[in-house]
Amino acid sequence: MELLTGSKSTGQVWIENHPSEGWAPGRVDSVEEGHYIVVDEAGQKFDVPHHEAQPVDPLCLQGADDLLSLGDFSEGTLLHNVRVRYFKDQIYTGIGGPILISMNPFANIPGLYSDAKQKFYRDRSRSNQGELPPHLFSVAAASYGAMLADTRDQSIIISGESGAGKTEATKRILTYFANLQQNELPKKDGNTTMSIEDQVLRSNPILEAFGNAKTARNDNSSRFGKYIDIQFDNRGKLSSAKISSYLLEKSRIVKQQPGERGYHAFYQLCAGARSLGRLASVLSLSDQAQHRYVCGTTMIDGVDDRQDFTEMVDCMHSLCFSAEERESTFKIAAAVLHLGDLDFEEHPNSADGSRITQPQAASKLCELFDVNGPDLAKTFQFKTLEDPVTKKIIDMPQDPAGSSDRRHSMARAVYTRLFDWLVWRINQSTIGSSGKQQFQKIGLLDIYGFEVFEWNSFEQLCINFANEKLQQHFNSHMFTLEQQLYSAEGITWSHIKFQDNGEIIDSLEKKPLGLFSIIDSECLMPNATDTTALSKIRTAFQKSTIIFKPSKFASSNFAIAHYAGEVIYDIESFLEKNTDKLHADIINLLKSSRMPLLKTLFSDPLFAGDKAAPGSGIKASPQRAAVSSRGKATSDRAKQNVTVSMMFRQQLEQLVQDLNKTHPSYIRCIKPNANKQAHDFDSLDVRRQLRCAGMLEAIRIRKAGYSVRLQFKEFFNRFRLLCPLITAGTRSRSDPDFKELSRRLLMQMEARYVAEKQPLEEKTWQIGRSKVFLKDELQKRLEKSMGESVKAFVVRIQKRWRGYAQRKQYIAMRKAAEYMNTAFRTFVAKERYKEVKQRYKAAVMLQAGLRTAQRRIVHLQRCQGAILLQRRARGWLCRRRIGQLKGKMAAARIEKLRREEESKRALELAAKHAEEKARQLAQVEAQRELEKEDMKRGSAELEQLRREVLDVRGENVRMQEQLKELAEIKREKSRLEEELLEAKRDNAELNARIAMLVDGGANTRQSIPVPSHARVGAVQREAILRPQPSKRHGDKLAVTCDVPHSHRSQRLAGTLTSATWAPRGAGSMNGLSRGLSDDGGLDRLAGTLGSAMFTQGTGAGTYHATQGSSDAGSPARVPDIARLKSLF
């Protein structure tokens, strides 16, 4: 009952072997003799014996971040804690520092891998602000920090079954490393070169396209192993990355299981080939279902192959793949698809072997491989052999089945070498220039997980063997080495039993009776078959419990009890896949290609079959053994007899050696269900995966063990700041006792924690023979205390430094103030001097301005007087010029009148001519009447008359036109008569006004308006005569004429205003005298006025000029010069 009444009891116990949950917490309903009645959450009751009852930790029900924080630990605690966190979307659970359990959520969790989340882990890891929550980023941050602090290479081993999320975890950790310092270092403007970090990230889509495929358990399963060696410089910035690949699954190229797909690259190329422009017509790819190698399952839910193809091409651009390299890659991949579409039939002549049934497909294949058509046909038609006696080459005909097998071998070889070249080409872009700089490394291993299918072949055996080796490394690191180290150091330790798979590995690879040794030896036998190999395997392991016959009726199967479970393998094609035959005919054909890349794949030793694949993780090892008999192509490889399993085991050995040189961290990926559904937890399958991964034993050893172990000197130098008073004492400082110093430091820190009421648990630290051993809890508390101590010292240093800086700043400010005072006084004095100087300058400028104004006034007055004189002189000159122009205007008027008379006479003549034409027309009309009468008399006369009528009509038209001209002449005549009458009236008015002016008063200023309008031609004007006193003639009367602005009126005005008139006799206006020195002006006036007469106006002092005589109908009378002289 103590387990039900304890202080931390929840009243629940674990139900072991629950039918659906595996382990489930249950409430104790009743207690009976020898057992408890326990009820689970569904209400189902179970019997739990008292001695097997295990209490449920309350933290487990909530889901603890770190499993080491749980009290009483059991398998049920592990399983239920992971289950609770999974349904909370908390897919990561930690086991101390180096081990992380990762559940595949099969859904996108918002913010799980955001930039803010990365920044959170990056900042917390740098500032040592306590323990980080479990996450992929926490493992990456811990490895990165340990690499910088301990200057030791690190590794992160990601393992788990297919579909558990290993590939996604690798990409997320790689993204974290790439973004560590990328955000802190701003890019220079104009720098278009992609950084190493971006290039490493951009390599993932290419490798996933050509190395990943859809399996029955995973839509994006890695079908090759990948070890990424990430190098950092001394500043901790990612400087380069190198990828090593392991055992690409070649059988998937030509054949897949139901519900699976080939490599993604084939489907992406079929979907996105149209975006390649002219290259699409060269590739000639149809729909995926039309190609035999990929005609099975073609679609993946939620995956857009066309979009993935576009992303892959963009990544090739980013990694500086040339256009030729990209096109060659796509051509080779398309050629592999076209190889699968070939069909063969037996040649009519059996001696000629088999032939290709589709000539167009063969032609397209030759175009893609860039080889000669006859050579390609011969490769599938014959198999060349060498006569061992005569050394002659013999062409052996092939049947269609043999040609088909050769086709599959060619496809596998071409695609495998293309993949090796892609890995090498990516490494060329991501490996930076190292120079002499020292680098530190973090290795990231993403390798295929443990696989169990309905049909398991040679590839699954190799994959599962690799997982056995990695599990052995995990056991060795976590269990064996730990316990050996504790025993050697004299640490008090209780040994923990764990599941060791050493016996399984020995059964697989131990020589000479290991499974791989038997298979390799069978490959060397001339008549060996899969059946003979299976027989030898069963004979060698007849009494073994590891390799055995699964059932009595199994004819081609054998089973292996792996650490993760039992797997049944089918022996079919084991020997063929292990030897990986590639005939020399195929090699020679592809060597003759004119495509540089394809020729390199089969000519360059870097990619040849007798060398290690580039980036394979080993320096040099043979890869394939070819069966051939032509010249030197087979000599070296035939002698070495190297199989695929040999090469793969060498790669694994090299990988394990590299991992042993690093400090590893582990991420165990768990697949929650086989349906790939979110929030679906298969507890039984998860329990199996946790058992296979050794998580329970790992938690126990981590809980009971000391995960941190440091050399005495290293420990003391690292944590001496916590107790600065501890020194070497009286011993020589050149050889201090670091072991004793470390013990004193730990005891003092333990006492400090007790004083702080935070005591440590028992045996949280121990002193060994050469090292200090600490548990994770104490390590974290020491690191936290170290951070606080460093912070205190930093604050003290900052205080001292800030005091010094403030004093220095004060002295500088005081000197600056003195300098400022001096400068200010100098400035004030300068300003005062400038002010006085400005005042003096202003006074001078004011005086100059006043004098200038005074002189200007005088100057302006003089200018105004000069302008007045000039105006008067110019007026006199103008008036003189007007008088001269008046005579010319009078002559022009007389000439105009003469022309008007001539026009009138011409009109009269035109009228007479028109009347004559009218009479002639009347006569013609009369004649027409006569002719009409004559027409009645005869047809001949009628025809003559008709012609005459037409003539008359033409003449009539001409006469009408003349009548129109006559009417126009009449209108012109009327207009001229009106103008003549108007001119006569103007002449009469002018004469009347002149008479009135002569008879009017003298010596008085009078105005003589001329209201009538004189029309000379088309010009109308009005003259206004005003008497003015004449300065030149004293009391004489000056008459001026104002007229409108027109051409003739200006001449009249000029004539009138150039004369000065005065009364001839005192007190009478009988005549006017002209004040001119000569008679030219009078002559001009006479010509201008014509017969104008001046009469007394109605107003006082006004005169009118009249035209002609008093009779309106009489013609105008033009006075002569003598009469005008007598008037004046």
Side-chain angles (χ1 to χ4, degrees), residues 815-833:
K815 291 183 178 180
E818 293 176 356
Y819 176 78
M820 290 294 295
N821 289 335
T822 302
F824 180 73
R825 294 189 183 99
T826 303
F827 174 75
V828 171
K830 287 182 178 179
E831 291 298 323
R832 289 179 180 176
Y833 171 74

Side-chain angles (χ1 to χ4, degrees), residues 247-251 253 405 408-414 416-417 420 458-459 520 523 573-584 586-587 608-609 622-628 637 642-645 647:
L247 189 64
L248 179 71
E249 186 183 7
K250 292 180 286 186
S251 62
I253 300 171
D405 292 340
H408 295 325
S409 299
M410 179 187 290
R412 289 194 295 266
V414 169
T416 302
R417 297 193 185 196
D420 293 340
F458 179 76
E459 292 83 6
D520 291 341
C523 291
S573 302
F574 258 58
L575 300 185
E576 179 185 356
K577 293 177 180 178
N578 192 33
T579 55
D580 192 18
K581 296 179 181 180
L582 187 64
H583 202 276
I586 299 176
I587 297 176
Q623 186 175 358
R624 305 176 186 85
V627 178
S628 174
R637 292 162 59 186
V642 177
T643 63
V644 174
S645 64
M647 184 194 68

Side-chain angles (χ1 to χ4, degrees), residues 582-596:
L582 187 64
H583 202 276
D585 295 341
I586 299 176
I587 297 176
N588 293 331
L589 171 68
L590 298 177
K591 278 184 179 180
S592 65
S593 173
R594 291 176 291 275
M595 182 192 300

Side-chain angles (χ1 to χ4, degrees), residues 946-1057:
R946 187 177 299 172
R947 287 193 297 269
E948 291 177 357
V949 168
L950 292 175
D951 294 337
V952 170
R953 287 180 180 177
E955 186 68 17
N956 189 18
V957 172
R958 288 192 298 272
M959 293 299 295
Q960 288 178 358
E961 290 176 356
Q962 292 178 359
L963 288 175
K964 289 180 181 179
E965 293 177 358
L966 180 62
E968 185 67 24
I969 292 172
K970 287 182 179 180
R971 285 194 297 270
E972 183 66 19
K973 175 183 178 183
S974 300
R975 185 181 61 79
L976 292 176
E977 287 176 352
E978 289 175 357
E979 289 181 357
L980 182 61
L981 292 175
E982 188 67 20
K984 288 180 178 180
R985 285 195 298 271
D986 291 344
N987 224 357
E989 289 177 0
L990 185 59
N991 291 331
R993 289 174 185 259
I994 293 174
M996 292 173 64
L997 182 63
V998 172
D999 299 334
N1003 298 328
T1004 57
R1005 297 178 59 88
Q1006 298 180 17
S1007 176
I1008 307 174
V1010 186
S1012 64
H1013 298 278
R1015 183 175 182 85
V1016 181
V1019 181
Q1020 184 178 5
R1021 65 186 181 274
E1022 179 182 359
I1024 303 175
L1025 304 179
R1026 292 191 299 272
Q1028 291 185 355
S1030 176
K1031 298 180 180 180
R1032 180 178 178 184
H1033 301 284
D1035 56 352
K1036 291 182 179 180
L1037 178 64
V1039 180
T1040 60
C1041 181
D1042 295 335
V1043 297
H1045 291 286
S1046 62
H1047 184 68
R1048 291 187 176 91
S1049 61
Q1050 288 178 356
R1051 289 199 303 268
L1052 178 60
T1055 304
L1056 294 178
T1057 55

Side-chain angles (χ1 to χ4, degrees), residues 463-745:
I463 290 172
N464 293 337
F465 174 71
N467 281 270
E468 292 281 1
K469 296 288 287 185
L470 293 177
Q471 183 66 24
Q472 186 185 42
H473 174 268
F474 176 77
N475 294 338
S476 176
H477 180 76
M478 294 300 299
F479 305 121
T480 307
L481 296 180
E482 288 277 324
Q483 298 189 42
Q484 291 177 359
L485 179 62
Y486 294 154
S487 300
E489 290 287 338
I491 301 299
T492 303
W493 172 259
S494 58
H495 289 268
I496 297 177
K497 295 182 180 180
F498 60 91
Q499 182 181 359
D500 189 5
N501 64 339
E503 185 179 357
I504 300 175
I505 294 177
D506 290 341
S507 299
L508 293 176
E509 70 171 351
K510 188 176 181 180
K511 296 181 179 180
L513 297 178
L515 177 63
F516 284 113
S517 298
I518 294 175
I519 296 174
D520 291 341
S521 63
E522 280 297 294
C523 291
L524 303 178
M525 298 299 174
N527 298 322
T529 62
D530 294 331
T531 304
T532 59
L534 179 61
S535 177
K536 290 184 178 181
I537 291 173
R538 289 178 177 175
T539 302
F541 297 98
Q542 186 174 5
K543 297 181 180 181
S544 174
T545 58
I546 297 175
I547 301 176
F548 54 91
K549 186 177 181 180
S551 65
K552 294 182 180 181
F553 304 100
S555 60
S556 62
N557 299 333
F558 66 94
I560 300 178
H562 289 284
Y563 80 95
E566 180 182 313
V567 182
I568 299 176
Y569 298 94
D570 195 322
I571 196 65
E572 182 182 354
S573 302
F574 258 58
L575 300 185
E576 179 185 356
K577 293 177 180 178
N578 192 33
T579 55
D580 192 18
K581 296 179 181 180
L582 187 64
H583 202 276
D585 295 341
I586 299 176
I587 297 176
N588 293 331
L589 171 68
L590 298 177
K591 278 184 179 180
S592 65
S593 173
R594 291 176 291 275
M595 182 192 300
L597 177 57
L598 185 60
K599 187 173 184 178
T600 300
L601 295 181
F602 288 87
S603 301
D604 195 331
L606 189 62
F607 308 103
D610 58 346
K611 299 292 181 182
S616 62
I618 56 178
K619 295 182 179 179
S621 66
Q623 186 175 358
R624 305 176 186 85
V627 178
S628 174
S629 59
R630 177 177 291 182
K632 297 181 180 180
T634 61
S635 59
D636 296 334
R637 292 162 59 186
K639 291 179 181 179
Q640 293 176 5
N641 295 321
V642 177
T643 63
V644 174
S645 64
M646 289 180 184
M647 184 194 68
F648 183 60
R649 280 178 285 156
Q650 291 179 14
Q651 293 178 352
L652 284 179
E653 287 297 330
Q654 184 66 40
L655 175 62
V656 172
Q657 292 178 13
D658 293 341
L659 293 177
N660 289 333
K661 297 177 183 178
T662 64
H663 183 272
S665 299
Y666 299 93
I667 299 177
R668 294 301 193 187
C669 296
I670 305 298
K671 187 176 182 179
N673 61 81
N675 302 323
K676 307 175 189 176
Q677 298 295 326
H679 294 96
D680 183 8
F681 194 88
D682 187 351
S683 299
L684 300 180
D685 189 51
V686 171
R687 181 181 65 175
R688 179 189 60 81
Q689 296 180 57
L690 292 174
R691 286 177 178 176
C692 294
M695 289 294 97
L696 185 61
E697 291 80 4
I699 294 171
R700 288 175 180 172
I701 196 171
R702 293 291 297 169
K703 240 180 122 60
Y706 300 93
S707 59
V708 181
R709 66 291 309 271
L710 299 172
Q711 298 288 340
F712 294 130
K713 181 177 181 180
E714 181 182 359
F715 173 80
F716 181 75
N717 290 335
R718 184 167 183 174
F719 296 106
R720 64 185 302 176
L721 287 178
L722 297 176
C723 301
L725 299 180
I726 297 179
T727 58
T730 58
R731 294 188 60 177
S732 173
R733 293 188 178 182
S734 61
D735 187 21
D737 186 2
F738 287 106
K739 180 176 180 179
E740 182 62 26
L741 292 175
S742 300
R743 185 190 305 274
R744 290 171 56 189
L745 189 149

